[in-house]
Amino acid sequence: MNVMVGGTFDPLHAGHRVLLSRSFEIAGREGLVTIGLTSDAFVQKKSHPVRPYDIRREELIIWIESMHFEASYIIECLSDQYGSALNDDFDALVVSEETFPVAGEINRLREEMGRKRVDIYTIRCILADDGKIVSSTRIYRGEIDPDGHLIR
Amino acid sequence: MNVMVGGTFDPLHAGHRVLLSRSFEIAGREGLVTIGLTSDAFVQKKSHPVRPYDIRREELIIWIESMHFEASYIIECLSDQYGSALNDDFDALVVSEETFPVAGEINRLREEMGRKRVDIYTIRCILADDGKIVSSTRIYRGEIDPDGHLIR
């Protein structure tokens, strides 16, 4: 099936890897995964610095290619929370528990626009060794590494 | 992957067919779908009569076999809302938008019991020809047929 997933992926941590692996898994052999990657302008709102789009895109492609997933994929630039998820015809959005509210909002807006709602696949939280969630902010602060292992 | 889905499936209508098809699709070739089928005692709370467990089970098996899905499946008897979803090790629960709250409750209870949370795949509402949801209650009332077509 055709699925959409989005993120900043800086760095590509354990939570992102589960999110993307599941997206490819549910898309299946003949499926397509559309990955929305946030633009540099969009991520200026983040509380910590983010590496440039092209570097994040390259890291993403290198990891995806190393995984030899069966589904096809495209990467599109996300300049807002929604990207093409409001207008495109696809089957399912893949989100984390943290971004689940955005998926509900996308379905509400799609319905208002007369488009069909989409399925929502919510990945469980991926936890670091200390039982707290793996996040880019925690990695930036030097608390954990991208695999969720404690640094201090 | 291993997915769980549940229902009364009486009759097996268009919404159930999407729910089950998606469950098999995301489970994939080597996956397992555990289908919880409500017991006769459990469905006595329903607002309308429900056919016996064995008849519902047979209808379910005949339809699944006709679809030639790739994943394996087992049918287990559900005597409450949760069945083995609280204790078993699996990857994702597949629910409709209406039963989404039960999935959240299952994750909350799993966490309390020290088990890992599971992913939740929420199927969009399946609508009848009149734009209202396809449901067993509407079929029982004679408003729509199991494919969601208006009877009157």
Side-chain angles (χ1 to χ4, degrees), chain B residues 57-127:
Chain B
R57 185 173 187 278
E58 195 176 335
E59 191 173 273
L60 197 54
I61 292 172
I62 290 171
W63 180 78
I64 291 169
E65 294 296 328
S66 78
M67 296 298 289
H68 305 288
F69 294 119
E70 292 183 308
S72 312
Y73 70 99
I74 51 171
I75 298 176
E76 63 164 38
C77 185
L78 266 190
S79 51
D80 59 39
Q81 284 192 301
Y82 311 124
S84 58
L86 296 185
N87 296 301
D88 281 13
D89 188 25
F90 64 103
D91 302 300
L93 261 173
V94 182
V95 295
S96 65
E97 292 185 287
E98 287 171 299
T99 53
F100 177 76
V102 178
E105 183 71 3
I106 286 172
N107 260 342
R108 195 185 61 73
L109 291 168
R110 286 182 68 90
E111 203 161 22
E112 269 183 25
M113 295 159 77
R115 300 196 195 288
K116 79 169 177 65
R117 296 166 73 87
V118 295
D119 298 347
I120 301 173
Y121 189 100
T122 316
I123 305 284
R124 67 180 192 282
C125 288
I126 302 303
L127 305 178

Side-chain angles (χ1 to χ4, degrees), chain B:
Chain B
M1 68 174 121
N2 289 356
V3 310
M4 294 192 89
V5 59
T8 299
F9 305 115
D10 185 50
L12 192 67
H13 61 56
H16 297 138
R17 293 194 296 259
V18 171
L19 187 77
L20 292 166
S21 295
R22 274 287 198 259
S23 301
F24 279 93
E25 192 173 359
I26 69 168
R29 249 174 304 179
E30 280 137 45
L32 172 69
V33 180
T34 301
I35 305 166
L37 180 63
T38 53
S39 70
D40 289 334
F42 182 54
V43 296
Q44 283 185 344
K45 296 170 200 158
K46 291 250 177 197
S47 59
H48 56 81
V50 169
R51 290 175 304 160
Y53 182 88
D54 288 345
I55 290 174
R56 290 180 283 129
R57 185 173 187 278
E58 195 176 335
E59 191 173 273
L60 197 54
I61 292 172
I62 290 171
W63 180 78
I64 291 169
E65 294 296 328
S66 78
M67 296 298 289
H68 305 288
F69 294 119
E70 292 183 308
S72 312
Y73 70 99
I74 51 171
I75 298 176
E76 63 164 38
C77 185
L78 266 190
S79 51
D80 59 39
Q81 284 192 301
Y82 311 124
S84 58
L86 296 185
N87 296 301
D88 281 13
D89 188 25
F90 64 103
D91 302 300
L93 261 173
V94 182
V95 295
S96 65
E97 292 185 287
E98 287 171 299
T99 53
F100 177 76
V102 178
E105 183 71 3
I106 286 172
N107 260 342
R108 195 185 61 73
L109 291 168
R110 286 182 68 90
E111 203 161 22
E112 269 183 25
M113 295 159 77
R115 300 196 195 288
K116 79 169 177 65
R117 296 166 73 87
V118 295
D119 298 347
I120 301 173
Y121 189 100
T122 316
I123 305 284
R124 67 180 192 282
C125 288
I126 302 303
L127 305 178
D129 288 349
D130 58 1
K132 293 182 200 158
I133 196 165
V134 173
S135 76
S136 298
T137 307
R138 295 191 69 200
I139 295 166
Y140 177 74
R141 284 190 197 133
E143 294 170 30
I144 55 171
D145 70 15
D147 294 319
H149 301 312
L150 295 179
I151 287 177
R152 287 173 295 201

Side-chain angles (χ1 to χ4, degrees), chain A residues 123-141:
Chain A
I123 306 283
R124 66 181 194 284
C125 289
I126 303 303
L127 305 180
D129 289 349
D130 59 0
K132 294 184 199 158
I133 196 167
V134 173
S135 76
S136 298
T137 306
R138 294 192 70 200
I139 295 166
Y140 176 73
R141 285 191 198 133

